[in-house]
Amino acid sequence: MAFAHPSGTTAGKSRSPGAISGVVDGAFSTTDLHRLDEAIRDARFAAAAPASVLLSPLAPHGEAAALTERECVFDHCAVLLFPTTLAEGLRHLRERGLAPLPTVPSTVVRGRLAERHGLDPAQCEIHITRLRLELPDGRRHAAVEVFLFPRDSAAFGERIEAVETTAGFENHTAYVVGRPSAPVLRRLVTAWQDEAGLLWEGGGHNPHEGGPAGSTVLYFVRDERHPALRRRFELHCAGDQREATADLPRSAQAVRRAYRAWPAAAQDTARPTTG
């Protein structure tokens, strides 16, 4: 699946980790640590919240919330961070007691970043880890997904970091589909688009994550005409499910419009920490 979102050439000259200001413990900037704390608080809230709250605003008398509650379970909130190096970032997370899972290479987010910033995907080094949290219901679950884009990688640039940190384009709230099938996925995509104002923007299959068959992600961005705190969502499915939704309509123009409006919408909404 291809993506439809703005691309540009925002890459700038990278700098050495030792020259970075505001880095804590040799790993993350103070801004990134604040964003990580927000993602952790957000995941703890989302884990206990009903779908009607997370997906809102919803059209009345629809099936989006009930269908999501029946077929899906909250899985994670996500954030993109820029550690000085991969090893330093993981060390910092371990020492905070966040128990990062072994990293896997990103396929989908790497492609999104490469397209958005005019990067060579082969040089775009993005790693995925999950952080285990104690959730309000007593579960210990890997409820925060962290995309790590090390500052010492070939594609890193200060302007990329500035754009992504300010906009939070990769922040999202994710649900896992319990028993993915073509009918279920098609109903979810249609209900989210028609009732929650969530535009299906694309997705893809990552063979490195989720077992022998990999996993499939479907990403959604909120239509700017339906503003809300949560701007992006993900449906996460086991296996390769790309064919299930391949023929569903997807408006590249509407998705581009939503991303163009993102900076203006950010002035009216903030990343949720308690709701």
Side-chain angles (χ1 to χ4, degrees), residues 58-59 62-64 67-68 182-200 218 220 235 244-245 247-249:
L58 290 166
E63 71 163 353
L67 181 64
T68 303
V184 167
L185 291 176
R186 293 168 73 89
R187 284 181 67 191
L188 282 165
V189 170
T190 300
W192 280 19
Q193 289 194 126
D194 293 349
E195 300 172 24
L198 296 174
L199 304 169
W200 179 34
L218 306 178
F220 301 78
L235 287 174
T245 56
D247 63 339
L248 287 180

Side-chain angles (χ1 to χ4, degrees), residues 18 29 45 53 57 82 99 112 207 222:
S29 70
F45 170 83
V53 170
F82 299 87
R112 285 170 53 86
R222 192 171 292 280

Side-chain angles (χ1 to χ4, degrees), residues 15 20-24 26-41 78-85 88-89 92-93 96 98 131 144-151 156-158 160-171 271:
R15 53 187 172 180
I20 301 166
S21 61
V23 171
V24 176
F28 293 104
S29 70
T30 52
T31 298
D32 267 2
L33 291 178
H34 175 70
R35 295 171 62 239
L36 175 61
D37 288 343
E38 285 186 328
I40 291 170
R41 288 194 297 269
V79 65
L80 170 66
L81 302 178
F82 299 87
T84 53
T85 67
E88 283 297 305
H92 181 93
L93 295 173
R96 285 188 60 177
L98 294 171
L131 309 181
V144 174
E145 181 176 55
V146 181
F147 303 108
L148 296 168
F149 192 165
R151 297 170 186 260
F156 174 80
E158 295 178 23
I160 296 173
E161 179 188 20
V163 168
E164 296 296 329
T165 298
T166 301
F169 287 129
E170 296 307 326
N171 293 356
R271 180 175 173 83

Side-chain angles (χ1 to χ4, degrees), residues 205-225:
H205 176 248
N206 188 342
H208 308 292
E209 186 180 32
S215 62
T216 299
V217 295
L218 306 178
Y219 280 128
F220 301 78
V221 63
R222 192 171 292 280
D223 190 317
E224 79 281 0
R225 295 170 297 181

Side-chain angles (χ1 to χ4, degrees), residues 48-62:
S52 58
V53 170
L54 300 183
L55 293 173
S56 66
L58 290 166
H61 313 301

Side-chain angles (χ1 to χ4, degrees), residues 109-176:
V109 170
R110 181 186 65 185
R112 285 170 53 86
L113 285 164
E115 180 179 348
R116 194 152 58 233
H117 299 288
L119 305 175
D120 177 358
Q123 299 293 315
C124 195
E125 180 189 349
I126 311 294
H127 307 268
I128 306 171
T129 187
R130 292 284 198 94
L131 309 181
R132 294 187 181 275
L133 304 182
E134 296 287 347
L135 298 179
D137 62 5
R139 288 184 299 151
R140 185 164 175 81
H141 176 63
V144 174
E145 181 176 55
V146 181
F147 303 108
L148 296 168
F149 192 165
R151 297 170 186 260
D152 64 345
S153 61
F156 174 80
E158 295 178 23
R159 292 180 63 194
I160 296 173
E161 179 188 20
V163 168
E164 296 296 329
T165 298
T166 301
F169 287 129
E170 296 307 326
N171 293 356
H172 64 257
T173 301
Y175 283 94
V176 166

